[in-house]
Amino acid sequence: MQAVGVVGLGTMGAGIAEVCLAAGHEVRAYDGFEEARERGLERIRRGFARRVEKETMTQADADDALARLTPCAALADLADCDLVIEAVAEIPDVKHELFAELGRLAKADAVLATNTSAISVTGIAEASGRPDRVVGLHFFNPAPVMRLVEVVRTPHVDPQVYADAIAFAEGLDKEAVPCPDTPGFLVNRVLVPMLNDAVRTFVETGADPADLDRALKAGAGWPMGPLALIDLIGVDVQMHASQAIADGLGDPHYAPHPLLAEMVEQGRLGRKTGAGFHEYESAP
Ligand code: CAA
């Protein structure tokens, strides 16, 4: 799978594109919104500048990687990709329409992958019209740093396509973990309710957010505190992921804490808007 298309250049799409470029792939990067596309491309360039600064990559290798990046203004530009990874908004209709279009325009032997964390991969696969060639490739934020990719298997997927998807993720130097297509897959089914419990604890104890985060870092070995982690993931993403798992399992235990909806209403989405449980000065 040499040529990879990435659809949607937000935080996740840009991170995934960076990881694929760093692993030697050609990447065609598409976002239908010009401003989002430019922001995503800038994020990818910053990612390579960071690698050079940290001396994990030479300037020549970073230049070589960026030379393999082709920005695309039309989805049809991804028609000859071997693999297309979708990372657009977590809205079922949007994903289904996109996969129907990808099913029409991608070459016959292409593999189509979704980075969804909360929507049924089986439903997305069925919308594509070629469900045997669709998998979930679920990356974690920040994609260039986090080692895991959950490789999500549906009942429809061709075993060879699935094996190729695992090999692809391993080729990115990621930990590829097979997952069934169940709500929240493996990580979010554990992590999302833990983060809701952190919000509940914050509300019920009136603890300072920085203290709660410091406590979980120093007392439970979390690399960052849970409220800071919600800010990184996005308060809206945490809310939608919780709701999707609750709906999928029919279990209100997983429902989002009501404070999350209030914060979304106020535009406090976390790092991406400069404020969430904490305040942020610089763009991520
Ligand atoms: N992009 C690229 N590199 C980044 C980065 C980013 N956005 N943020 C941090 N880094 C790099 C830093 O440059 C640094 O690199 P070096 O070690 O080479 O110096 C390294 O990561 C560590 O960063 P920092 O020293 O600044 O800070 P840290 O030690 O706190 O690490 C972190 C930052 C890697 C994000 C770490 O706190 C962490 O692992 N946090 C947990 C993140 C997590 O759980 N993510 C999963 C969220 S759930 C999800 O994504 C699924 C979903 O469906 C919602």
Side-chain angles (χ1 to χ4, degrees):
M1 296 192 207
Q2 179 49 24
V4 179
V6 177
V7 181
L9 293 181
T11 308
M12 292 309 296
I16 292 167
E18 181 190 327
V19 169
C20 293
L21 289 165
H25 294 278
E26 286 163 36
V27 172
R28 312 221 203 312
Y30 167 77
D31 196 304
F33 300 96
E34 191 180 345
E35 226 184 283
R37 187 164 65 244
E38 288 308 321
R39 260 201 318 272
L41 294 170
E42 184 47 37
R43 188 187 276 269
I44 296 168
R45 288 184 207 108
R46 275 208 315 271
F48 282 102
R50 184 200 293 251
R51 287 169 190 254
V52 172
E53 211 174 283
K54 301 236 172 229
E55 298 182 350
T56 57
M57 189 176 254
T58 63
Q59 185 64 56
D61 285 347
D63 292 345
D64 175 65
L66 286 168
R68 280 182 272 103
L69 171 64
T70 309
C72 299
L75 195 62
D77 295 341
L78 275 54
D80 61 346
C81 287
D82 305 308
L83 167 70
V84 179
I85 306 175
E86 165 276 317
V88 305
E90 289 281 84
I91 304 168
D93 286 351
V94 171
K95 303 242 193 219
H96 290 174
E97 274 170 37
L98 176 65
F99 273 78
E101 209 171 335
L102 286 172
R104 282 191 291 272
L105 65 80
K107 64 180 184 177
D109 61 351
V111 174
L112 306 179
T114 173
N115 180 55
T116 187
S117 55
I119 297 171
S120 158
V121 178
T122 306
I124 291 173
E126 286 165 356
S128 75
R130 43 168 112 170
D132 56 323
R133 305 205 61 82
V134 177
V135 293
L137 284 176
H138 183 216
F139 291 76
F140 289 74
N141 190 357
V145 183
M146 302 307 288
R147 298 236 37 245
L148 178 64
V149 177
E150 290 179 322
V151 185
V152 183
R153 187 180 44 229
T154 76
H156 304 301
V157 72
D158 180 307
Q160 187 58 53
V161 168
Y162 190 67
D164 290 348
I166 298 244
F168 171 79
E170 287 173 347
L172 300 179
D173 196 25
K174 296 290 187 191
E175 195 75 47
V177 172
C179 287
D181 184 22
T182 50
F185 312 131
L186 298 179
V187 169
N188 280 349
R189 188 144 162 188
V190 176
L191 183 61
V192 165
M194 282 170 84
L195 295 180
N196 278 321
D197 275 344
V199 177
R200 188 168 298 118
T201 303
F202 162 63
V203 170
E204 292 175 4
T205 63
D208 182 282
D211 285 343
L212 179 58
D213 278 348
R214 249 172 359 110
L216 269 291
K217 279 175 74 173
W222 286 45
M224 70 201 304
L227 301 179
L229 181 54
I230 296 176
D231 283 350
L232 175 74
I233 297 169
V235 174
D236 53 336
V237 173
Q238 167 68 12
M239 185 179 83
H240 289 127
S242 308
Q243 194 59 58
I245 298 172
D247 292 346
L249 296 174
D251 184 346
H253 161 71
Y254 292 90
H257 190 282
L259 178 62
L260 298 175
E262 281 175 39
M263 291 174 71
V264 169
E265 187 88 354
Q266 294 159 3
R268 295 179 71 90
L269 303 187
R271 281 199 193 181
K272 59 189 166 191
T273 57
F277 289 95
H278 302 278
E279 309 285 329
Y280 301 89
E281 274 170 18
S282 59

